[in-house]
Amino acid sequence: MFYMNLHREHAEKALFVSSTLHNGITHIRKIILSPCKIYSPIVSETLEACQGSNFYVDILLDATTKEINVNIPSLHQNNNIFKCWIPFGKEPICIPVPTVQFEFNQTSKILMFYMQYHHREHAEKALFVNSTLHNGTTHSRKIILLPCKAEFEAKATHNNTHVTITCENRSFNQSSGMQILQGDNIVSQCQWNKTTLKLICISAEGLTNGIQKTTKHDPRIKYSCGMDGQFVQINYTIVLKETRPPPLNSSKDIETHEMMLNYTVKPNSFTEERSSLSYSSRLEPQQILIFTCILLICPLHY
């Protein structure tokens, strides 16, 4: 038995084993070296898309590319959506599914395909772009499809004692659910039950397009919203201020109050007489003078 390392230069080469017997007869074995497919490490990346918009994938076709196969695997099927063969020196021959469009740039050798993003079908799904070279090597790109951040509405409001975190997205009803995170830890979530299609919430309140949670306010804690692999940081808070009536800025806002004063008059040798006077807090100078004269002169007539 002999063995050796198999390299790319050995692919499709013939190896001859000659055996010569003592009687002079020679047996020759011809062995074609056909290595198994060689896979390079999978390159993983993410691609964001908004509901109903197109997402685009570029593929560079060099001279060694033989075949392109694009699929979105699911639990029960492979879901091939795009396949191309690249003859030497010619444009690729592609067979896409009806929902996929493609363009090829002869100058840059870039093959671009695109399709419309639907949250229920594509969110957090892996799209694989497999490129097979003429020597049998296969390169794979794994692209995770994520909902775009632009469609999130994430906010936190507080009154210095409690904070309310609200996370909303118009594709919430087509998602697997939504979470509120504190750092990397999920503190609240609402998930859709795939069987009953009911929303099940833990430490949160379900909204029409999302979830909400109220808890004690701590300015040191930062929250984020998550849905189907996409996360949006809440970097701001809205302070709910107490409402107070406007200040009184003019004399029109000040009421003039009626005041009740009691005065006691004691004549020289006569009986005491008590009089009560009701008057406005704003007395004219003439009224004050007359009032003073009455108090001083009237007793002299008795």
Side-chain angles (χ1 to χ4, degrees):
M1 178 186 72
F2 73 95
Y3 58 92
M4 61 184 294
N5 291 327
L6 190 63
H7 298 283
R8 291 180 179 176
E9 57 264 31
H10 299 136
E12 307 301 326
K13 297 294 191 299
L15 184 146
F16 294 88
V17 179
S18 300
S19 302
T20 303
L21 306 182
H22 289 285
N23 57 8
I25 298 175
T26 301
H27 294 281
I28 299 176
R29 294 172 59 192
K30 180 180 179 181
I31 303 173
I32 302 298
L33 302 177
S34 180
C36 63
K37 289 186 177 181
I38 304 172
Y39 293 90
S40 64
I42 296 178
V43 178
S44 184
E45 54 193 281
T46 60
L47 179 63
E48 296 183 11
C50 296
Q51 173 67 20
S53 65
N54 290 331
F55 64 90
Y56 299 81
V57 177
D58 292 339
I59 306 171
L60 177 62
L61 304 181
D62 56 26
T64 63
T65 305
K66 178 182 178 182
E67 184 179 304
I68 298 292
N69 188 9
V70 180
N71 61 77
I72 304 178
S74 65
L75 185 61
H76 302 291
Q77 53 188 353
N78 191 31
N79 285 346
N80 290 310
I81 62 171
F82 191 55
K83 191 168 186 177
C84 295
W85 293 268
I86 301 92
F88 279 110
K90 296 182 179 180
E91 291 190 3
I93 301 171
C94 300
I95 303 177
V97 297
T99 56
V100 175
Q101 304 293 323
F102 72 94
E103 298 175 4
F104 178 67
N105 189 313
Q106 183 67 44
T107 303
S108 62
K109 302 298 181 183
I110 292 179
L111 174 66
M112 178 188 70
F113 73 89
Y114 56 95
M115 62 187 298
Q116 197 172 68
Y117 176 85
H118 297 288
H119 192 95
R120 190 183 301 276
E121 299 175 15
H122 300 132
E124 211 174 3
K125 297 291 192 304
L127 182 149
F128 287 90
V129 179
N130 301 310
S131 303
T132 303
L133 308 184
H134 287 283
N135 62 6
T137 304
T138 298
H139 298 279
S140 292
R141 290 171 60 192
K142 180 181 180 182
I143 303 174
I144 305 298
L145 302 175
L146 299 177
C148 66
K149 293 181 179 180
E151 293 188 341
F152 279 85
E153 293 184 13
K155 64 180 180 180
T157 60
H158 71 86
N159 60 1
N160 293 322
T161 58
H162 289 82
V163 60
T164 298
I165 305 101
T166 305
C167 301
E168 294 181 287
N169 190 298
R170 66 172 181 160
S171 299
F172 173 65
N173 293 323
Q174 302 176 26
S175 71
S176 60
M178 188 175 284
Q179 308 85 36
I180 296 176
L181 298 93
Q182 178 182 322
D184 295 329
N185 301 317
I186 297 176
V187 294
S188 302
Q189 62 179 340
C190 289
Q191 301 294 120
W192 290 104
N193 187 304
K194 296 182 179 179
T195 304
T196 63
L197 301 181
K198 291 184 178 180
L199 190 64
I200 301 174
C201 296
I202 301 175
S203 187
E205 177 186 355
L207 305 177
T208 302
N209 289 322
I211 64 174
Q212 191 175 79
K213 174 186 177 65
T214 300
T215 185
K216 290 184 178 180
H217 174 57
D218 186 342
R220 298 169 298 178
I221 297 177
K222 299 297 181 182
Y223 294 95
S224 60
C225 302
M227 187 182 77
D228 290 339
Q230 183 65 277
F231 300 94
V232 177
Q233 189 73 31
I234 302 176
N235 293 320
Y236 61 94
T237 57
I238 302 173
V239 180
L240 299 178
K241 296 182 179 179
E242 296 181 0
T243 58
R244 297 180 179 178
L248 302 177
N249 295 323
S250 65
S251 59
K252 294 181 180 180
D253 298 324
I254 303 175
E255 295 182 3
T256 300
H257 299 281
E258 294 293 322
M259 298 177 62
M260 181 70 72
L261 297 180
N262 294 327
Y263 292 89
T264 302
V265 179
K266 292 183 179 181
N268 293 335
S269 58
F270 302 96
T271 57
E272 294 183 354
E273 180 178 323
R274 173 168 297 193
S275 64
S276 296
L277 179 64
S278 176
Y279 69 104
S280 171
S281 60
R282 297 181 179 179
L283 295 177
E284 297 296 331
Q286 294 177 353
Q287 294 175 323
I288 297 174
L289 177 61
I290 295 171
F291 177 71
T292 305
C293 291
I294 293 173
L295 291 178
L296 295 175
I297 298 173
C298 289
L300 300 178
H301 293 282
Y302 294 94

